[in-house]
Amino acid sequence: MLKPLHESLGIATVGVGGGVATTAAAGIELIRLGETGLDGLPLAETLGRDGLVPYAGLRFAGWDLDGADLASAARTHRVVPDERLERVAEALGATEPWPAVADAEYCRNVTGEHIQRENSRRAMVARVQSDLARFEAEMGAGRVVVINLASTERVPDMDAPALQSLAAFERGLDENDPAISPAMVYAYAAIERGFPYGNFTPNVAAEIPALIELAKERGVPTAGRDGKTGQTFLKTVLAPAFRARALRVEGWYSTNILGNRDGQALSDSGSLASKLGTKGDVLDDMLGYKVGDHIVQISYYPPRGDEKEAWDNIDVTGFLGQRMQVKVNFLCRDSILAAPLVIEIARCLDLARRRGEAGPIEALSTFFKAPMTAGGAPEHAFFTQQRTLMRWLMAENLDHVLSDEPAAPAKPDVVSAAPLAPVK
């Protein structure tokens, strides 16, 4: 049975001072003021919107390695135009990050001094849960979800004993096992206390056996991994079309340049390997065969900032063995593409919680490069994923969705006049 819809939802964000989170927070404030429309928000016009928390009811808080308030952080990232940022600077400035969990062995190139000083992973969990409890007290019980937007970590040792079962993981927390990464600390802290958890990063967290077990035991919905925003998004649109037209992909060369904090993290070889792991398998899964020359490169180029460029060259073979090429140059804004997805993931995880769903919410696969599943291979083709999401959103009214009856127009979002309270 669906629990009542609250008009507000707190999004406790790992990396709240980053470009994506500050863009999302600024966007929500502008929506509340009536200063911007709902362009770019994928679920703004869907039938399932009535079951989701209104955009104006969202509130951001969370952890970051930099202690700067969200207005100051947003100015640094230079994603939101200055004239718009000044309209919401007071509201954003009232929110300051909580000290973050950090381990330089997992993320070498993004550091900061605003970190937890606890000397054990068990103590780190307790500190994160204390922050969550305080935020939930402010928002109201059952009105907080956790989203990981932190920088990319290196790939952990997936065979480490501490990751294989919940009992082993909890022993690892007590013994300060280095196999437990910062991302896993956040995921465990959230799930153990019943907070829905979404992983927008390539970091391995809720996907390990120990935390899958915990999510099922606690009845907590989860989703992830690695937000699908730019180049991979286009691949999941184009590759199914090539397959449908029997155009064989002989090679696909992809390169990216970006200069934001994500790019800085990826300039470390360990973090880069983690990122490439979520981008590399998507193509073969959709085409049904291994592309012999699938090359993906990511380069940190500071002058570009958040203005990422993704360039693809695709070699295909068609009828009579004739060779052809497709070239795509996507000049995009990384945070502008990612922030709306983060907002929608949070709203959907809240809906899943109110429905009583637990474990990986496969219907949210459309938002991720490496979607979590309850078992078996994930679906990557974008339009198949979208249909699954729409069916899931309208689970209470599925017959209407599958009929030819036109969709009812979406109701305008509720705009609140009162500013959000500060978060310290």
Side-chain angles (χ1 to χ4, degrees), residues 160-405:
L163 311 187
Q164 306 311 312
S165 71
L166 180 55
F169 189 90
E170 294 189 327
R171 284 196 301 273
L173 290 175
D174 294 331
E175 297 168 1
N176 202 31
D177 193 319
I180 299 175
S181 69
M184 295 175 197
V185 169
Y186 284 113
Y188 174 87
I191 297 168
E192 199 272 335
R193 288 298 176 92
F195 295 95
Y197 174 83
N199 182 12
F200 204 74
T201 78
N203 303 333
V204 176
E207 300 82 0
I208 64 172
L211 297 187
I212 292 173
E213 181 182 346
L214 178 63
K216 291 178 180 178
E217 180 181 295
R218 292 288 192 271
V220 175
T222 60
R225 172 168 60 103
D226 199 3
K228 184 167 71 177
T229 55
Q231 190 172 64
T232 306
F233 159 62
L234 292 182
K235 282 184 179 179
T236 62
V237 172
L238 293 173
F242 293 144
R243 182 172 182 172
R245 288 291 188 264
L247 297 172
R248 184 171 184 85
V249 176
E250 304 291 347
W252 198 311
Y253 178 87
S254 300
T255 188
N256 301 259
I257 57 174
L258 70 165
N260 57 15
R261 194 158 69 175
D262 188 35
Q264 183 180 1
L266 295 176
S267 61
D268 171 68
S269 60
S271 295
L272 179 61
S274 181
K275 181 74 171 182
L276 293 179
T278 64
K279 293 171 74 75
D281 297 334
V282 173
L283 190 58
D284 296 347
D285 289 344
M286 287 184 294
L287 293 172
Y289 54 85
K290 184 172 180 59
V291 177
D293 292 291
H294 183 202
I295 299 170
V296 181
Q297 296 182 336
I298 304 174
S299 298
Y300 178 48
Y301 182 55
R304 194 55 69 95
D306 197 69
E307 297 182 37
K308 182 170 75 172
E309 180 170 0
W311 185 82
D312 290 83
N313 177 84
I314 310 156
D315 288 279
V316 299
T317 299
F319 192 49
L320 304 180
Q322 291 297 306
R323 302 283 302 265
M324 295 170 282
Q325 291 185 349
V326 179
K327 299 183 188 298
V328 180
N329 190 17
F330 193 7
L331 298 163
C332 55
R333 299 298 298 268
D334 212 22
S335 297
I336 292 296
L337 292 173
L341 303 192
V342 170
I343 289 167
E344 302 296 24
I345 291 165
R347 297 168 78 219
C348 287
L349 283 172
D350 173 66
L351 178 60
R353 170 176 48 191
R354 290 187 289 108
R355 287 180 174 177
E357 299 181 25
I361 307 302
E362 294 188 36
L364 304 189
S365 293
T366 186
F367 298 122
F368 299 101
K369 294 185 184 74
M372 290 180 66
T373 68
E379 173 62 60
H380 289 292
F382 178 73
F383 293 107
T384 303
Q385 291 176 331
Q386 280 296 104
R387 186 179 183 188
T388 300
L389 176 61
M390 293 302 107
R391 286 171 176 262
W392 179 80
L393 284 171
M394 293 303 297
E396 277 78 30
N397 194 16
L398 189 57
D399 291 339
H400 178 73
V401 172
L402 298 181
S403 74
D404 293 327
E405 183 180 344

